[in-house]
Amino acid sequence: MQKSHLVLILDYGSQYTHLITRRIRSLNIFSLCLSGTSSLDTIISLNPKVIILSGGPHSVHSPKSPTFPSGFVEWAQSNGCFVLGICYGLQLIVQRLGGEVRVGEKQEYGRMEIEIGSNLGIFGNKKIGDRQVVWMSHGDEVAQLPEGFEVVARSQQGAVAALENRLKRFYGLQYHPEVTHSPEGMDTLRYFLSDVCGVVANWNMENVVDEEIKVIKGTVGPEDHVICALSGGVDSTVAATLVHKAIGDRLHCVFVDNGLLRFKERERVMETFERDLHLPVTCVDASYQFLSKLKGVVDPEMKRKIIGKEFISIFDDFAHGLEQKLGKKPAYLVQGTLYPDVIESCPPPGSGRNHSHTIKSHHNVGGLPKDMKLKLIEPLKLLFKDEVRQLGRILNVPEAFLKRHPFPGPGLAVRVLGDVTEGNALDILRQVDEIFIQSIKDAGLYDSIWQAFAVFLPVRSVGVQGDQRTHSHVVALRAVTSQDGMTADWYYFEHKFLDDVARKICNSVRGVNRVVQDITSKPPSTIEWE
């Protein structure tokens, strides 16, 4: 991935941190996010042109508050690196460079008007006296500036809203320019990066394709063979298409039917692979192997680990079969790991832990055994979902396939709460999910929703069907809007649509007498149920 003129975000725990990454990429500038407590050597190895210190929930007064590494300021100055602190990041700059931060007399949260006091640096494209609405979220405030710094904007309450030291190339914004609640925030970021820092906006998906093909060819030897685990989703398919473009027939794809697929998923996916994508795919039916190992398991974390282990076992067996066929052992396994997967596996800044609370142990960066014999190739691991779709278009992956909603690696195991082998839970869920998704498509809503699915709940409910009392299952419907899966809001269906879907489900699926809708955003929930 291109790293020239990189903008590096150091994450100090703000809920908006990864939005900064996305906003900067939307300016055709490559950006990456690292933990705010990363070592100086790690930062230096990336050679960023600009570093942004994110906001966060901490106070610089706390002895355990996260901070940038020793020697960071000196390195940034000697290497001509520009530094921008946002919210907590601004306060960190002030405190570490000799200024003073104190608990604010008046805390500032939400929309606030600021006034520009200087138009030489970060507000060089504005006029002195100009006002703009921004999004504030802070309790501490700057009481004394470090030497060489000046205030360039204040809030309507008189608090420091922006400061800078142009000689040292250190800048700070007390508000969040990356959120839509700061209407002129993107204009400020664009001007700062392009005009102040001189960052060249030349990052695009066409370049990513060329660069990743070079990386793959440089990684995989001319005689090496590669296995790709195809799930039927966008990510693994685009990853496989990219690798196939790089190494041709030395790529061997395998699609595993783990017994946890959606309604007719196996038939539909294999047809697409063969007819539209022309990928060399072997289908392995391992449904009995997976379901027998999952029998009696109700803990979602244990389910994920069992499934991850079984997948790797199958890939190893597939690799062994290829070795006998080719006379050469495959060396690599391709996975469609995305940037949100990597992000959600990082330790939360200021937590004092080396590893984060596990959000997902069976997405592509978790659940893999230490003794796995295949080396990983993850060509999409620095991309968000919408960027992967752009990449797929360049690679001529059919649009209908690219627009498919995400489907989790563990499949329906994370949509059946409890034992997936108990009763006919999987069959019921497949039927309910098919009705829900087809209804969404028929209503022309599919492309407006980031992900939609049904969930089988481990409860029974009393109902009345055919003039008789029933004691049947409850299913939940979930549909969300999102850009990348990092945050999500529930989709607002018309009442008539929900009424029609609920009637279809209860009238068509034996064993269901109640339908509910999940109206929880992420956060506080996740998109999936387990």
Side-chain angles (χ1 to χ4, degrees):
M1 199 71 70
Q2 183 180 2
K3 295 183 175 64
S4 61
H5 285 202
L6 167 69
V7 176
L8 180 64
I9 295 94
L10 295 184
D11 175 19
Y12 291 105
S14 168
Q15 60 181 314
Y16 305 126
T17 297
H18 306 301
L19 184 57
I20 304 174
T21 310
R22 292 191 46 77
R23 295 293 195 212
I24 292 172
R25 289 190 184 187
S26 73
L27 299 174
N28 296 117
I29 295 171
F30 186 52
S31 59
L32 281 179
C33 181
L34 285 182
S35 169
T37 54
S38 296
S39 69
L40 184 59
D41 286 343
T42 300
I43 294 170
I44 291 173
S45 69
L46 293 170
N47 191 30
K49 187 174 181 64
V50 180
I51 292 178
I52 295 179
L53 311 177
S54 86
H58 312 281
S59 169
V60 293
H61 304 299
S62 171
K64 293 184 178 180
S65 61
T67 184
F68 45 74
S70 177
F72 171 80
V73 173
E74 294 76 12
W75 172 82
Q77 288 185 239
S78 63
N79 284 271
C81 183
F82 291 82
V83 178
L84 171 65
I86 293 177
C87 198
Y88 175 80
L90 173 146
Q91 296 170 8
L92 204 53
I93 289 173
V94 170
Q95 187 230 34
R96 288 291 301 270
L97 272 69
E100 181 186 350
V101 177
R102 67 185 177 197
V103 176
E105 295 180 4
K106 295 181 179 179
Q107 297 179 337
E108 296 181 324
Y109 296 102
R111 289 182 176 86
M112 183 77 62
E113 195 173 67
I114 66 170
E115 182 175 328
I116 310 302
S118 171
N119 62 349
L120 295 176
I122 198 168
F123 294 119
N125 59 339
K126 306 293 183 183
K127 295 179 181 178
I128 294 175
D130 278 357
R131 294 170 178 263
Q132 60 178 280
V133 174
V134 301
W135 187 259
M136 293 284 194
S137 182
H138 66 100
D140 291 348
E141 66 180 17
V142 176
Q144 182 177 334
L145 297 177
E147 184 179 349
F149 281 76
E150 62 177 309
V151 177
V152 293
R154 289 188 180 274
S155 72
Q156 62 192 50
Q157 295 186 153
V160 174
L163 51 76
E164 60 189 40
N165 183 325
R166 291 188 294 280
L167 183 62
K168 289 186 176 180
R169 295 179 294 274
F170 272 72
Y171 300 79
L173 298 173
Q174 186 58 73
Y175 63 91
H176 289 275
E178 69 275 18
V179 301
T180 55
H181 302 303
S182 297
E184 297 181 59
M186 281 301 291
D187 182 47
T188 300
L189 281 176
R190 183 186 296 106
Y191 180 82
F192 173 71
L193 294 173
S194 299
D195 293 74
V196 177
C197 305
V199 176
V200 178
N202 62 354
W203 186 73
N204 55 60
M205 284 299 111
E206 286 80 5
N207 290 343
V208 171
V209 171
D210 294 338
E211 289 158 10
E212 286 303 318
I213 287 175
K214 288 178 184 176
V215 170
I216 294 166
K217 287 182 175 179
T219 301
V220 179
E223 302 297 324
D224 286 339
H225 287 257
V226 177
I227 292 174
C228 180
L230 284 174
S231 67
V234 174
D235 309 332
S236 63
T237 301
V238 172
T241 305
L242 188 62
V243 175
H244 190 250
K245 188 176 179 67
I247 66 170
D249 291 339
R250 289 183 290 125
L251 173 70
H252 308 272
C253 299
V254 55
F255 175 74
V256 179
D257 182 352
N258 59 1
L260 301 165
L261 301 178
R262 290 171 288 194
F263 185 77
K264 292 188 177 179
E265 178 82 350
R266 174 175 168 178
E267 296 88 342
R268 292 169 177 174
V269 165
M270 287 301 295
E271 182 181 2
T272 300
F273 288 152
E274 294 167 0
R275 183 191 65 199
D276 299 325
L277 300 175
H278 310 294
L279 288 172
V281 185
T282 298
C283 181
V284 175
D285 186 349
S287 53
Y288 176 79
Q289 180 176 334
F290 277 85
L291 295 178
S292 62
K293 294 289 178 66
L294 289 168
K295 186 174 179 58
V297 179
V298 298
D299 179 70
E301 188 64 15
M302 186 60 68
K303 285 185 193 177
R304 292 178 182 272
K305 289 182 177 178
I306 289 171
I307 292 167
K309 184 177 179 180
E310 291 307 308
F311 267 122
I312 296 303
S313 173
I314 289 169
F315 300 148
D316 279 341
D317 289 344
F318 183 69
H320 181 67
L322 274 178
E323 181 181 1
Q324 292 180 321
K325 178 181 177 181
L326 302 169
K328 183 178 179 63
K329 182 182 296 184
Y332 296 91
L333 171 67
V334 177
Q335 284 198 321
T337 309
L338 300 192
Y339 201 36
D341 295 334
V342 176
I343 289 168
E344 290 188 346
S345 298
C346 293
S351 67
R353 291 186 291 273
N354 293 323
H355 300 284
S356 68
H357 292 297
T358 302
I359 298 174
K360 302 176 185 175
S361 65
H362 181 265
H363 52 41
N364 294 324
V365 294
L368 299 178
K370 294 178 181 179
D371 61 349
M372 188 179 72
K373 301 176 181 66
L374 299 167
K375 291 175 282 187
L376 283 179
I377 295 177
E378 299 170 298
L380 312 178
K381 68 179 179 181
L382 298 181
L383 300 179
F384 290 96
K385 175 70 77 173
D386 59 322
E387 293 170 336
V388 171
R389 289 193 169 108
Q390 292 178 44
L391 202 67
R393 292 184 184 99
I394 295 169
L395 295 168
N396 295 317
V397 176
E399 189 69 21
F401 197 88
L402 292 175
K403 289 183 176 179
R404 294 192 83 200
H405 290 178
F407 187 60
L412 298 183
V414 293
R415 295 178 180 174
V416 172
L417 305 194
D419 185 350
V420 301
T421 68
E422 192 173 276
N424 59 342
L426 285 170
D427 288 337
I428 288 175
L429 181 57
R430 287 189 181 101
Q431 295 176 64
V432 172
D433 190 74
E434 178 70 5
I435 291 171
F436 184 37
I437 298 302
Q438 190 58 52
S439 298
I440 288 173
K441 290 178 177 177
D442 292 344
L445 302 175
Y446 190 80
D447 293 344
S448 300
I449 297 171
W450 195 79
Q451 188 175 12
F453 55 90
V455 179
F456 183 91
L457 302 179
V459 293
R460 287 180 179 266
S461 169
V462 173
V464 178
Q465 291 172 297
D467 295 326
Q468 294 182 354
R469 287 172 64 85
T470 59
H471 191 229
S472 299
H473 297 289
V474 182
V475 293
L477 306 181
R478 177 109 162 113
V480 299
T481 57
S482 180
Q483 283 191 314
D484 49 40
M486 296 300 298
T487 59
D489 198 5
W490 58 283
Y491 186 81
Y492 292 68
F493 288 110
E494 294 289 339
H495 286 178
K496 185 179 185 309
F497 174 86
L498 290 172
D499 180 50
D500 290 344
V501 170
R503 289 176 188 274
K504 286 179 185 176
I505 290 171
C506 291
N507 290 335
S508 304
V509 183
R510 185 178 297 275
V512 174
N513 67 0
R514 194 176 297 268
V515 179
V516 298
Q517 183 189 8
D518 180 348
I519 57 169
T520 320
S521 63
K522 175 186 179 180
S525 71
T526 59
I527 292 177
E528 295 289 346
W529 271 57
E530 287 192 352

